[in-house]
Amino acid sequence: MTEGMRNRGFTIIELVITVAIISLLATAVVPSAQLIYQRERESELRASLRTIRGAIDAYKTAFDTGRIKKELDKTGYPPNLVALVDGVDDAASAKEGVKIYFLRRLPRDPFFPDATAPAAETWGLRSYASPLDDPQPGDDVYDVHSRSPRAGLNGVHYRDW
């Protein structure tokens, strides 16, 4: 009876070795999973920056071609990011109330820590009058950048992308 009981269970050594092997495999998998997650977020950041910057450029083109009402004190860049989604009146349209839209929705900065903040508040803004080395918000939106202090996998800070 003792011999039958011994053959049916695992020894402590077998369990310790199994746990050690599983932990060794887990230590190899966790860093690669974190790396994959960071790469996905960086890819999302690149796509979001490209989308917003393209919309800002389209707004400026519409201003330069006369589709947006020109004012002497304006640079031709949107006053804020929400204007890209809400649209502006089409000055070239014969119909009243026709708007030009530049974005369907404003993407979020994937590295912004507060998921409940509105998308427009997740981005750092640079006005046309602001220098490149010290981007500051102003009367218009010339460019956007990430507000994250972290650096990317390429060593460049996200705010400099």
Side-chain angles (χ1 to χ4, degrees):
M1 181 151 169
T2 328
E3 194 171 309
M5 295 286 278
R6 185 186 302 161
N7 292 337
R8 290 192 326 196
F10 294 104
T11 64
I12 277 273
I13 301 288
E14 291 171 328
L15 290 174
V16 167
I17 290 173
T18 303
V19 168
I21 290 172
I22 290 173
S23 358
L24 183 66
L25 291 173
T27 58
V29 170
V30 168
S32 64
Q34 289 173 338
L35 182 67
I36 290 170
Y37 179 68
Q38 186 172 355
R39 279 188 184 152
E40 287 175 3
R41 288 177 62 193
E42 285 185 3
S43 177
E44 185 179 341
L45 176 63
R46 278 188 194 94
S48 296
L49 287 171
R50 192 176 304 116
T51 299
I52 295 172
R53 288 172 176 162
I56 291 170
D57 292 343
Y59 187 101
K60 175 66 171 152
T61 301
F63 181 85
D64 290 343
T65 58
R67 294 202 58 201
I68 297 175
K69 183 180 173 185
K70 293 187 179 185
E71 297 176 27
L72 292 177
D73 61 337
K74 301 294 180 188
T75 61
Y77 290 99
N80 53 47
L81 292 177
V82 177
L84 299 172
V85 177
D86 291 346
V88 293
D89 291 330
D90 188 353
S93 175
K95 294 182 181 179
E96 186 73 26
V98 175
K99 290 191 167 215
I100 308 169
Y101 298 96
F102 301 96
L103 288 175
R104 289 189 182 111
R105 68 171 187 82
L106 187 63
R108 299 180 58 76
D109 180 353
F111 290 99
F112 194 75
D114 183 7
T116 62
E121 294 177 12
T122 63
W123 297 102
L125 305 177
R126 176 181 172 215
S127 73
Y128 184 73
S130 176
L132 177 63
D133 57 346
D134 185 27
Q136 298 294 322
D139 294 335
D140 58 12
V141 179
Y142 177 71
D143 195 14
V144 294
H145 59 88
S146 177
R147 292 170 58 185
S148 174
R150 298 174 49 191
L153 294 173
N154 61 0
V156 178
H157 289 277
Y158 293 129
R159 67 180 172 267
D160 295 331
W161 283 24

